[in-house]
Amino acid sequence: MKPRNSPSQDTLFQVFGQRVALCGALALLAPTVVMAQAATPLSQQQVKLLSASCANCHGTDGGFQGPIPAIAGRPADVLSTQLLNFKHRAPAGTTVMDRIAKGYTDEELRALASHFSSIRKP
């Protein structure tokens, strides 16, 4: 005997099917949204704003002269590789850079690398 006011098995399958269809539709839309975001290049102003957080450890314009490495004037491909490694591979001995890098998109990390490579060392 079925309890009163409980949904039938057919109703449950129908609701489940609708949710699966909705999830599938959202999954198909997600790459479109990501591609639309990636298609818009970052402005110099946006990159400058992003780079401000790097000054906390690497000094103004990445030129800190101390125990933390200066990043100003280093080759963009080297910086980009290091930043992407921090984000995706977290090399041994990493202090906080692996956690910091995860807060940026790959595009933002490449833009930051390019930005700091264009700054002449003090």
Side-chain angles (χ1 to χ4, degrees), residues 7-91:
S8 70
Q9 194 171 17
D10 290 338
T11 304
L12 291 175
F13 282 126
Q14 184 179 13
V15 169
F16 178 75
Q18 290 170 346
R19 288 185 181 167
V20 168
L22 178 61
C23 289
L26 290 174
L28 291 174
L29 287 175
T32 306
V33 171
V34 170
M35 288 181 351
Q37 289 174 347
T40 307
L42 296 168
S43 71
Q44 285 184 328
Q45 185 178 9
Q46 289 171 310
V47 175
K48 187 78 173 163
L49 183 63
L50 290 173
S51 73
S53 64
C54 304
N56 292 329
C57 299
H58 295 280
T60 305
D61 290 331
F64 184 66
Q65 300 296 316
I68 297 173
I71 52 178
R74 298 198 57 211
D77 59 333
V78 171
L79 287 173
S80 181
T81 298
Q82 286 177 322
L83 290 170
L84 291 169
N85 281 341
F86 284 134
K87 180 178 179 180
H88 297 291
R89 294 174 209 23

